[in-house]
Amino acid sequence: MKHWILVLAALSVGANARAQNTGRLTGTVTAAEDGRALNGAVVSIVGTNRTAFTNASGVYLVEQVPAGARLVRVRFLGYAPLQQTVTVGADRTDTLNFQMVSAPVQLEGIVATAYGEQERREVTGAITSLNLGELRDVPLPNPAQLIQARVAGVDVVSTGYRPGAPMNVMIRGVRSITAGNQPLYVVDGVPLVGGGIEDFNPAQIASIEVLKDASATAPYGARGANGVILITTNRGAAGASGGTSSFTYDYQYGAQSALHFVDLMNGPELAQERIDAYRLAGRTVSYASIFNPPELNQAYCALNVKTNPTTGLYDTTAAGTSTWQAVHPGCQTGTDWQRSIYRIGSQQQHRVSYNSIAGNARLSLSGTYFNQSGITVGQGFKQYSGTISFENTYGRLRIGATATGSRSVADIGGDSQLWGEATANSSLGLPYDSAGTPYATLCSVCTLKINPSGDALRTNPLREEQGFIHQQISDRLFGSLFAEVTLPFGFAYRANLGPDLQNVSDGMFQGANVVLGSTPIGNSQAGLATREAFRYTLDNMLTWSYTTGEHKVDATGLYTITQTRFQDDSASSKTLPYDYQLWYNLGTGSAPQPPISQYNQTATRSFMGRVNYTYKNRYSLTVTGREDGASVLAAGHKFAFFPSAGLSWQIGDEQFMKQFTFLSGLKLRASLGTTGNSSINPYQTEGSLNQTFYNFGSSTANGYVPGQIPNPTLVWEKTAQLDLGADFGLLRNRISGTVDIYREKTSDLLLTRALPPSSGFASTLQNIGKTGNAGWEFSLTTVNLTGAGGGPRWTTDFSFTHNQNYIISLAGTTGDDLGDRWFIGQPVNIGLSGQSGYDPLHQVFYDYKFIGIWQLADSALARQYGEKPGDPRVADLNGDGKIDGFDREIVGNSYPRLIASIYNRVTWGAFDLSFLLQGRIGYTFIDGFRENTDLFDRYNNLNVQYWTPERCDGGPDPTKYDPPPGETAAQQAAIPGCNVWWAPSAGRQNPPYDDLPSNSLGSASPAYRVGTHWRVRNITLGWTLPQKFVNRVRGVHSARVYVEAQDPWVFTSYYGYDPENGGSSGPPSYRTVLVGMTLGF
Amino acid sequence: MMKPKYILLGLALAGLTACVDLNEKLVGTVTTQYYANGAGLDAAVMGDYAQQRGFWGLEQSYVLTELGTDLETLGDQTTFTWFGTYAGGLAASDGHFQNTWNPFYQAINTSNAVINRAPAVTDMDPVTKATRIAEAKFLRALDYFMIVQFFGPAPLSTTESQGAVTTAHRSPVDSLYLQIVKDLRDAIAVLPATQNNLGRATKGAAQALLARVLLTRAYHPYPYEAASASFYLASSSFLREAGATSATDFAGAKAEADSVIAGPYSLLTNFVDNFCVPMGARGPGSYCNLPANENNAELIWSVQYSAVAGQYTVGLGNTNFVQMLSYYDDRPGMTRDCNNGRAFRRVRPTLYARNLWQRWTDSTHTIVLDTRYDGTFQSVWYSNAANTGACFRSGGVMTGYSTTNCSFLPTFGGNCTNGQNFVLGDTAMFQPGYIVGGAASCTGPGGACSQTYRQSVKYAVVEPALTEPGANPTVIGQYDWFRFPTMKKWQDDQRPDFNNTDGGRDVPVLRLGDVYLIAAEATCAAAYGTAACTGAQGTILPYITTLRTRAANCLNRFPGCTAAVQTANQAMINDATHLPATITLEFILDEWGREKYGEYWRWLDLARTGLWHRVPDNNWQASPAHGGFFTEAKHHLRPIPQSQIDNTQGGIGAFPQNPGY
């Protein structure tokens, strides 16, 4: 680090050499309401490039200010900008203090926009800025969580609950069916083409802007359709003491626990269900045939049946004098597999940062170490990241660079499959083998069983946790370099280079006898996949600013290219000689698998022009046009033009509005424009052959068959968008807010169109169809208590998002596409359950209507449908006497009707408290848990009521269950439990496992759930230590300690792990409670 | 210090002049341009063969052809039980139909690509090119033949799909057959008698397939086709080539079959050798004299599989070895291994099937008559796991045993000390398919004789249930839903591990044994519709007795089978007691069952002959009298997969479903 400072100093000296007659300007910036020091306010000398930031005490220092009368401007997010003239003397230090008045961020201040920044007043687009001053107080692991529940119109949802799992971010719903719906992230002006925002540490982020409408996103043209999230990383700030450097250390430690477990059958419940199921299927004769040998004694115990005193085994003939329970007390509950792979997780983070200003040079360094163990045994996530940011000015030239490097190590293990194993394993199985006794608690030498219940497809989760290792190491090196020169006549030129290198090494090891999912392997195998992506963006930008009288013009011209090169290769081998090599010595495996490698390259070339014009500081117009060309599209269709225009009117400043004294500000906005989506895979236009594998005798005969239909006409997906918005402030900005309504239409939809398979192809990618989005967003900030006079300051942010997504038209004139679940007027369905590309958050459910269970009284009717009592019953909607594809209906969709959030923040003296509550209201999801493990006799089941025939009464009786043909009363009586365990079935809703289910139609029908949940996202309480305490420690200037709870509660009626990400079967969602401290030196 | 403005100027120049090429260069991708040359055309033909693996050897092949017939019913682990019961789930939405339909049509499109593009290929010698075209026609004929048998009227195209095709319509059954016959006759004219590559179509393969096609077509039109001709047929009557009739089809089938029988193929001495790959013995008749015997003199054409990495798609090997196996791995002395297989227990023989083979039902004879039973089912399991159970424990806790061996129980194994754990290699389980001790002397489970015998031999003896349907199939005998004769024809011990389902066994689609039966049936059914065969019984018999004589071969295969015993056996199997004087179509269908059990044709045999009564008569789970749902009026065809209807422009109106579905 020293070295860097020297370099900077040298550079500064070079710059200083030319400075003459300069002085220094210093002062403090405080909040007008409560006198609080404002940390990070930008002070600039208008007409020069001299700027400085305030430190934690609100002190700034600008050096080398040309002597004379200077206009000084100060800006800080959340406060109205101020400017004041001061005379700076040569070779002396002048003082100028500012008291800033808070103002809604949506009304005043500077805002980052596409390829630049703008006065908020002049912005015509829908842009939400986040007040990061507050966000910094709430440490979060993923940058996407910074905007989660904070920005109207943005929906951020976890993709899973393993440590390090990425987040799914959607802005104003989905447009595309196949081309992806994730927004574009732009970090320090460089588009993050490959995504992966989770590689950046949130603590390194200085500000976030969310660009939502066409006026704001059109400068990104073909990539702007899904909205844009602008991220600016930290630059240097002045030292804590008003000096030139500061040093901050932040530490936090937390513990994690599961929010919820699922109620599965314990030993007695499962044993009883199994007996009922076998009985119904007409096959029960003895315990030995119902239960696998390893379960048998557990079942005796669970059911408390008599056992032979000599052999200890169940014996129908022996006069039982003892029971298994009596011999083995406590054996009856069975194994709780969920808790066997669960632990209390932990999370910790260290972060150091150094900021320095020397003359015009700013330097920022930071490093973060994050380590989360997670609540699933074997999982974990570590991230090491560092950022260096530097900026300096040499006369007319400003040069800067930011480089971020990170390494993330995710231990994924079996993840959801492991939880699937834990929930599916029979509670009658025992985890350990031991000599003489089956009970883990009693065994002295315990070895883990392979198949605890004797079922060859269900293996021991504890063993799999050890035998299934999946580790993903991601390295990312991301840079942004720029040079900017100020030219005569208001022109400026800027060049931007953004290289981005991403490397993922994905190792997977499966030990012998590990059966995850349904791919049992029987011997050890390992594989290593490496993915490397290199991308760069090169921008050339010419800007022109011109102000004359009431007219202000800013114009931008841009030429930009991007190129991406992607390669991946993987190797795997089976039957490894020893396990501890994992995937690091694949050559030793006796069954190496064919290596796989892949390569692709894409490029884009674009021109963009934009003009912002403001008249009388009241009327603003933005016109943008972008011409985009992309290699992934067909020849002759590669280029497309994306125009947009936006208008804004500060109507609140008009004379005729002055009579409304309650109104402190009102701005109206309107924008219209087109953006695009080019996120299709390369080479799709060419058509391709698929390799096939074959052999003639022992010789290889691999061939090629038609794979993809060539599509020489693929063009951009285009989204036209109209947005009307208003930003307002009321009662001296005690209440402020933003309302937007919008309507979007996406046409030339890139659609994987299902074809009749008789053509030899199942589908092709085409530009067909249109989708629409219509919605509104409303956000409101109230200042409930101003903090005046040193009292508490309490602000509340509300945000409400409603988006209606719908399909306008599809391929040709055929209307609905049943195969893909695309219906005119309904939201977009992305992927089908159980197939690749399945997106649980964007589903339209089209299925049979579940109306209960066929009852005995309906036997005759059931038979007409090819069904029988006990089978699930679905409605014959068209009444044609059979259940077929035409009896399906739209059951619901997974799109929430409303997303709402409430954020409260209270500061009082040294204390700050914040509280964020979010609700997702009115969506349907498929209960994956119910769907997959519902009453299947080999595995464990949800602990639910189930259907049984009334009882085994031995004779043919139309009102009673008809026993299997030929069964006599005597035979029935010999069946264990006949007339003893069977209860009348009245009111029971769920079918037991049935050996001969009549069909699988509507097997998912009972699994649809209406979801509405409220979630406490986080609660943070912080205490900034008084200076008199802090100052007792040498070198420490500031200190804050805090307690935070992340996701502490979710309020839902769903019994599974979490409804948010579509009711997946695990791992469970978890809460984190952490404590932390921040020290400034 | 370097002048910043030069840095900037450099940057600006670099930036403004930087350019990227927006044309895509294919690096890792192959397009249809590849088909323009010989190597590409060859690759297309190999791909065409590979696409046969989309049906043959995958789950849909046995589900659609074996389960729910008169011979095969459900085991305890069947998940798609409606194929056995014909319940409501046997509908268009069941994936097995789509998984049959789609691969066949993908293969048809590949064949079309080969046939359409071949004329433009110049860098290939003309003879090879003609052969490749003929191979593509053979495969296309097979694809359409399977489609038309399962689904009836179906889309017919002989041109490669260029671009997205969104329409489809159902071509009549007879026009599909016209194309099939034409393709096969074209192929026969060109294909060589042998090919350099095993697995490529030969003249004999095309002839054998044509024989089966003509035999099948000869039965058309069926009553249901005649009743709604507009749906099934191109005109009011079944259209054939000029001059062709049902009778000439029967005659043609026989002629093609005779030609194949005269050809370069010959029956193997022992039936079981057809299914022999290097593997451990599985009971009498299993000893394999011909290791690695997949490509043998009797084989005409098979879909090739391989266990060599890179010769199969992972997850799509031949999986059918697991489906028809009985539960064994929980028995004392046994654990799951490659040799004995991964028992999915999805298909088990019906009682009717178990009694199909003519065998002795008691202990007075050394061997059974028809060795095809033992060639089909496994009867002995040898202990493969130490410390998993004690001998003498069959049938529960033993209180004592006799050392007197019964002569008819095999005396293998025996290192196990009484009451101690099995020693590896000991006989652990014996499942002969008949009641040990003879029906007369055995009084059922727990009967004195049977119990004594069992105790005497250390291993478990599993005996059949003698009746079905029954309340619980286990009440009499020891067979039940999960213990039944285990079908070993497709057993595969070459997999890397016992749970692996990527089997490498070939699927024999056509073998000489079939051709004898095709000839017999064509002769018999020359005038279709009569109860007994109308062809001269004397001309039918040689085809049948040839197979039956081979079935009686036991020399050196069964304990006690000498040359004299074999000769006696061969005479007996064809004597008046065992071979009726009048051969009927029903008898020929029985013979198909004995010869071809589990070989993916049974449902099609029933569909061809129309002897659907055999399903409810012989398969109680399918029978409406016992809670099953089989209806001939509906189930003579399979449903069109729902995705075909949904994805066709115009939906159900443009692409109607089969009646009843």
Side-chain angles (χ1 to χ4, degrees), chain A residues 977-998:
Chain A
C978 188
N979 290 321
V980 177
W981 296 326
W982 284 29
S985 62
R988 293 191 174 188
Q989 286 300 308
N990 297 284
Y993 167 62
D994 179 348
D995 193 49
L996 297 173
S998 295

Side-chain angles (χ1 to χ4, degrees), chain B residues 258-561:
Chain B
D258 284 342
S259 171
V260 175
I261 290 168
Y265 311 101
S266 60
L267 290 178
L268 300 180
T269 309
N270 291 289
F271 174 81
V272 70
D273 287 343
N274 278 294
F275 311 101
C276 226
V277 290
M279 64 174 83
R282 298 201 164 80
S286 290
Y287 305 109
C288 208
N289 287 337
L290 302 166
N293 201 29
E294 284 194 316
N295 297 300
N296 56 54
E298 188 169 338
L299 180 78
I300 297 172
W301 186 73
S302 61
V303 172
Q304 300 279 298
Y305 273 95
S306 168
V308 176
Q311 295 185 348
Y312 65 93
T313 309
V314 176
L316 291 176
N318 180 352
T319 61
N320 281 355
F321 57 91
V322 296
Q323 314 292 359
M324 307 186 191
L325 302 183
S326 163
Y327 202 15
Y328 69 91
D329 28 341
D330 65 330
R331 296 289 88 188
M334 297 303 299
T335 188
R336 183 183 290 189
D337 68 5
C338 263
N339 184 33
N340 291 290
R342 182 178 171 196
F344 267 33
R345 294 140 44 196
R346 285 198 167 145
V347 179
R348 69 188 170 109
T350 59
L351 176 68
Y352 175 75
R354 290 197 272 111
N355 292 330
L356 197 58
W357 290 269
Q358 289 154 331
R359 314 172 76 214
W360 304 119
T361 53
D362 59 43
S363 61
T364 55
H365 297 81
T366 311
I367 60 149
V368 293
L369 271 173
D370 194 334
T371 68
R372 288 177 296 190
Y373 178 90
D374 291 279
T376 304
F377 299 107
Q378 178 171 356
S379 55
V380 178
W381 284 258
Y382 298 104
S383 174
N384 61 1
N387 302 319
T388 56
C391 44
F392 315 117
R393 286 283 301 273
S394 73
V397 180
M398 289 287 185
T399 51
Y401 76 100
S402 158
T403 54
T404 309
N405 281 339
C406 298
S407 61
F408 52 85
L409 280 176
T411 53
F412 329 118
N415 291 321
C416 177
T417 309
N418 303 347
Q420 300 299 306
N421 283 331
F422 276 108
V423 174
L424 292 184
D426 284 358
T427 304
M429 184 159 67
F430 181 54
Q431 188 169 322
Y434 48 77
I435 296 285
V436 172
S441 57
C442 180
T443 57
C449 174
S450 182
Q451 174 74 344
T452 306
Y453 289 142
R454 290 176 191 170
Q455 288 162 356
S456 71
V457 290
K458 301 185 180 182
Y459 47 79
V461 179
V462 181
E463 297 161 294
L466 290 182
T467 59
E468 197 177 55
N472 278 296
T474 55
V475 170
I476 301 167
Q478 290 159 291
Y479 285 3
D480 58 19
W481 292 59
F482 38 110
R483 273 175 245 286
F484 44 81
T486 204
M487 218 289 287
K488 68 182 181 188
K489 279 180 173 176
W490 311 133
Q491 278 281 39
D492 186 348
D493 65 349
Q494 296 300 297
R495 293 165 295 129
D497 54 74
F498 57 73
N499 276 335
N500 189 302
T501 55
D502 284 323
R505 290 284 307 271
D506 296 346
V507 178
V509 175
L510 300 163
R511 64 178 174 87
L512 190 59
D514 316 355
V515 179
Y516 278 91
L517 287 170
I518 291 170
E521 189 180 320
T523 313
C524 164
Y528 160 61
T530 40
C533 291
T534 54
Q537 294 283 324
T539 58
I540 302 170
L541 276 178
Y543 299 117
I544 291 175
T545 54
T546 303
L547 288 182
R548 291 174 67 84
T549 304
R550 190 262 293 264
N553 288 349
C554 59
L555 185 61
N556 300 327
R557 295 303 185 106
F558 288 78
C561 183

